[in-house]
Amino acid sequence: MIIIGERINGMFKDIGQAVAERNPKPLQEWAIKQKEGGAHYLDINTGPSCDDRVAGMKWMVEVVQEVSDLPLVLDSTNYDAIEAGLELCKKPAMINSCPAERPKIERVFPMAVKHNAKLIGLTMNEKGIPKNAENRVALAMELVAAADEFGLPMEDLFIDPLILPVNVAQDHVPEVLEAIRQVKFLADPAPKTVLGLSNVSQKSPDRSLLNRTYLAMAAACGLDAAIADANDDALMEIAASTEVLLNQSIYCDSYVKVFRTR
Amino acid sequence: MAVQLLKERYASEVGTVVLGATKEQGGTRSVSLTVGGEAALPFQHYEGSIPNRPIIAIEVTDVEPNWPEPLKEALGDVIKDPVAWAKKCVDEWGADAIYVKLDGADPDGANRTPEECAKTVKDILAAVGVPLIVVGCGDVEKDHEVMVKVAEETAGEKLLMGVAEQENYKSLVAACLGNGHSVIARSPLDINICKQLNILISEMNMPTDRIVIDPMIAGLGYGIEYGYSIMERGRMGALQGDKMLAMPMICTVGFEAWRAKEAWASEADFPGWGAQKDRGPAWEAMTAAALLQAGANILCMRHPQAVKAVKKNIEQLMETK
């Protein structure tokens, strides 16, 4: 299970303010803290309040790389900002994200190939997010076909079937699990799968319980990666445990530690 | 229409370990050898690079070994003198390295002192230019004294020293760490303990490029398939990115093969088994050949004829055309 640390995102107040003031300290502290927690990638998002997202993304990538050697996930709906960030990344990065919409596919997939980046593809289009697994998988198929068309290695495509909060769209939650299962049959080698895990618990009182439980359930369905709270120790221990229980990594007594330091 | 081969794509590769240090590298070896580094399953050259061929270390003991007669006959008089023996291994039998087993340290045997053992190792170092692999007699307490002494006396030679085990690894690892040597991490046919031991050794700040895995094997006919599947599993783990299983592997082929009755039993007792002088080395060579396919990087062998056959086998397997 690849854990993508979610915390360096302008949606969080401290980061939003730091980006506005160009104060590197909060970003760098979270970069270090999330790595200590065991994150394998760091998500980087300027947030909605950033005026100039291209300049904001470039600055964020630079200050985070000053203190961390983890690969980055460039998270924006502004593709120029992502492209500017990709040019600064020292390690092959991941693009977050591209929906199943033709103009955006034509912009983002070649960019991923050019920069040797992995790519998160969302199972949504102009009409929004489908209600059931079947239609999510249909959109995933369009993204798989695009990977083939533009020469993105299938293992570098991460399908995100888009989890919604359980207190808003409860009926979607099991559908997403089913979608994860089915996406694995779309190609051989199969595309990978990812979730914005914390979304499942938005505005619920006991968020980490829902996040942890859903991570274990999704792992059993074949989930490969999660954008999540890397400093939720129990969550990280569960992620490590799923790997040995699913026979994905070879058991040893220190398996949790290995998971966090690899 | 041409057939298109479906190729595996691996996320990672086996790590490398360097055996022996030349003068420029702070030792006295005429050659240093790199083992490991393969980015595909054994000899699948079309799927990834196999940059270093497996090597053969011929076994030499510091006191005359209690080995089967036919094996001793093939080796000749040199078995009484480890220095002459080592020299013959290199000059005549083509050893890439010498595997020195300090059986003489055994308190129930010759009970040689750590100083005497260190002298033997130094004498062999002076006589041959190839890298050395040095292991103790198997008595935990005595090996502790002996290996610390040997490590100190040969500092900088980049020996490969053994063996570290889960219940007993700290003193050997510390001795290797302080004197620039590498260490053999032995686990009893158990992939989980193998991984855990590599983690424990790494936690002592031993770099992973100075650890070699001894997965423990069995000889042909005596459970070699267990060793084979453990090694194969470790290799798959390494290629999928598991750094704590990605070290090169060493196999005690000679030791295991010559324990088999098929290798040493006389023609008088088993007339149907064929000529003894061919049967023994064939048994050892076949054991080695199987382990090469499982991913062995260092083969510790005994019989010159078996070494010759396996060298030829390796040469053929390394051909890429």
Side-chain angles (χ1 to χ4, degrees):
Chain A
M1 182 70 66
I2 299 167
I3 298 293
I4 302 166
E6 68 187 2
R7 196 54 180 72
I8 307 178
N9 186 324
M11 301 264 270
F12 290 97
K13 214 173 149 197
D14 58 343
I15 300 293
Q17 196 181 339
V19 174
E21 295 167 1
R22 293 291 191 267
N23 169 19
K25 213 172 155 221
L27 282 76
Q28 294 179 335
E29 281 172 1
W30 274 113
I32 292 165
K33 200 173 159 196
Q34 291 185 101
K35 180 169 179 171
E36 284 168 359
H40 307 115
Y41 280 79
L42 296 175
D43 193 74
I44 304 287
N45 185 322
T46 60
S49 60
C50 182
D51 301 333
D52 181 349
R53 294 200 200 172
V54 174
M57 180 63 86
K58 283 165 81 172
W59 177 79
M60 290 177 85
V61 167
E62 276 177 340
V63 299
V64 168
Q65 287 190 138
E66 277 171 22
V67 298
S68 174
D69 58 359
L70 288 182
L72 304 179
V73 177
L74 305 183
D75 184 358
S76 183
T77 47
N78 180 325
Y79 300 133
D80 293 335
I82 288 180
E83 183 126 50
L86 284 174
E87 273 160 18
L88 296 174
C89 284
K90 291 176 187 161
K91 287 192 175 166
M94 193 185 295
I95 297 171
N96 185 8
S97 54
C98 178
E101 297 171 26
R102 194 61 203 179
K104 293 179 179 173
I105 284 173
E106 285 172 6
R107 169 77 175 95
V108 181
F109 275 72
M111 175 163 77
V113 172
K114 180 181 164 195
H115 291 278
N116 190 25
K118 300 179 193 316
L119 172 60
I120 296 177
L122 308 178
T123 61
M124 64 180 286
N125 59 12
E126 296 87 344
K127 293 178 202 150
I129 300 173
K131 234 175 136 49
N132 58 19
E134 198 183 359
N135 291 335
R136 280 179 161 89
V137 174
L139 294 179
M141 191 60 221
E142 290 181 24
L143 294 159
V144 165
D148 199 36
E149 178 187 347
F150 291 99
L152 181 74
M154 206 52 74
E155 307 95 298
D156 289 348
L157 176 64
F158 285 69
I159 300 291
D160 181 349
L162 292 163
I163 183 64
L164 297 174
V166 66
N167 61 2
V168 174
Q170 196 170 359
D171 51 340
H172 280 249
V173 181
E175 294 295 326
V176 166
L177 295 178
E178 184 54 30
I180 292 169
R181 220 176 267 129
Q182 290 185 20
V183 160
K184 288 287 169 191
F185 296 108
L186 292 181
D188 185 13
K192 296 215 162 66
T193 50
V194 62
L195 282 180
L197 184 67
S198 304
N199 212 29
V200 76
S201 62
Q202 286 284 358
K203 298 216 161 66
S204 299
D206 196 353
R207 295 198 60 180
S208 54
L209 177 61
L210 289 167
N211 294 344
R212 293 166 189 172
T213 308
Y214 200 58
L215 181 71
M217 295 169 78
C221 295
L223 187 72
D224 297 290
I227 306 170
D229 177 0
N231 297 104
D232 178 344
D233 284 342
L235 181 86
M236 297 302 283
E237 286 159 16
I238 288 167
S241 303
T242 64
E243 281 195 359
V244 296
L245 294 172
L246 290 166
N247 194 23
Q248 291 166 343
S249 77
I250 291 175
Y251 175 84
C252 68
D253 291 345
S254 306
Y255 73 89
V256 172
K257 195 169 178 181
V258 174
F259 177 80
R260 286 189 154 148
T261 51
R262 76 173 170 213
Chain B
M1 207 170 83
V3 177
Q4 201 190 343
L5 283 178
L6 213 58
K7 293 179 188 173
E8 285 291 339
R9 226 174 77 143
Y10 297 110
S12 194
E13 59 203 24
V14 177
T16 56
V17 171
V18 176
L19 270 61
T22 61
K23 212 168 173 184
E24 295 75 41
Q25 296 158 336
T28 62
R29 304 299 78 209
S30 57
V31 59
S32 75
L33 296 171
T34 304
V35 292
E38 51 271 29
L41 287 176
F43 313 111
Q44 307 295 304
H45 300 280
Y46 62 95
E47 286 188 335
S49 106
I50 315 283
N52 302 299
R53 70 178 170 86
I55 63 166
I56 297 176
I58 303 186
E59 184 169 346
V60 166
T61 57
D62 61 337
V63 288
E64 186 178 339
N66 180 25
W67 291 353
E69 276 309 320
L71 173 59
K72 291 210 286 192
E73 272 165 37
L75 294 168
D77 262 356
V78 290
I79 54 170
K80 295 184 170 70
D81 174 3
V83 174
W85 188 356
K87 239 178 120 40
K88 197 163 182 184
C89 288
V90 176
D91 296 342
E92 286 186 33
W93 300 327
D96 297 308
I98 301 294
Y99 172 63
V100 183
K101 193 152 191 317
L102 296 170
D103 281 337
D106 189 349
D108 297 330
N111 198 19
R112 289 196 172 170
T113 65
E115 288 73 19
E116 287 170 312
C117 293
K119 185 177 181 302
T120 303
V121 174
K122 282 165 75 178
D123 289 346
I124 296 173
L125 279 168
V128 299
V130 300
L132 258 55
I133 301 166
V134 182
V135 301
C137 64
D139 182 275
V140 171
E141 279 172 37
K142 184 68 180 287
D143 278 350
H144 168 73
E145 293 170 48
V146 168
M147 299 314 280
V148 168
K149 186 73 185 164
V150 170
E152 286 171 1
E153 293 280 318
T154 59
E157 291 284 2
K158 223 169 200 307
L159 304 183
L160 176 59
M161 302 187 75
V163 292
E165 296 180 276
Q166 193 180 23
E167 303 306 327
N168 176 45
Y169 64 93
K170 286 183 181 159
S171 86
L172 179 61
V173 172
C176 289
L177 203 51
N179 295 289
H181 303 305
S182 303
V183 67
I184 299 172
R186 175 180 284 176
S187 43
L189 274 168
D190 185 317
I191 195 74
N192 309 118
I193 293 175
C194 172
K195 184 169 170 178
Q196 185 68 18
L197 179 58
N198 291 335
I199 292 166
L200 294 172
I201 293 174
S202 302
E203 282 175 349
M204 287 182 72
N205 289 325
M206 177 61 93
T208 51
D209 66 358
R210 281 168 60 191
I211 303 173
V212 171
I213 293 170
D214 177 354
M216 291 192 77
I217 52 139
L220 181 63
Y222 291 81
I224 196 171
E225 55 275 27
Y226 293 100
Y228 190 101
S229 61
I230 294 284
M231 291 169 72
E232 199 176 37
R233 192 137 179 247
R235 274 297 159 265
M236 286 308 293
L239 295 175
Q240 283 159 12
D242 195 331
K243 297 286 175 222
M244 287 301 137
L245 285 170
M247 298 77 173
M249 293 189 286
I250 186 170
C251 294
T252 49
V253 175
F255 172 75
E256 294 295 345
W258 285 95
R259 279 161 53 153
K261 189 166 68 179
E262 288 80 351
W264 54 259
S266 71
E267 285 165 55
D269 290 343
F270 295 92
W273 283 7
Q276 207 291 324
K277 73 173 178 49
D278 297 328
R279 187 174 1 108
W283 208 261
E284 186 179 0
M286 282 311 298
T287 299
L291 296 169
L292 282 173
Q293 295 298 336
N297 302 92
I298 305 171
L299 302 167
C300 301
M301 299 185 63
R302 290 179 176 174
H303 198 294
Q305 214 177 312
V307 169
K308 195 176 166 194
V310 175
K311 275 180 87 88
K312 190 174 169 195
N313 185 216
I314 291 172
E315 218 170 277
Q316 288 167 340
L317 288 166
M318 286 302 288
E319 277 173 19
T320 50
K321 280 172 194 167

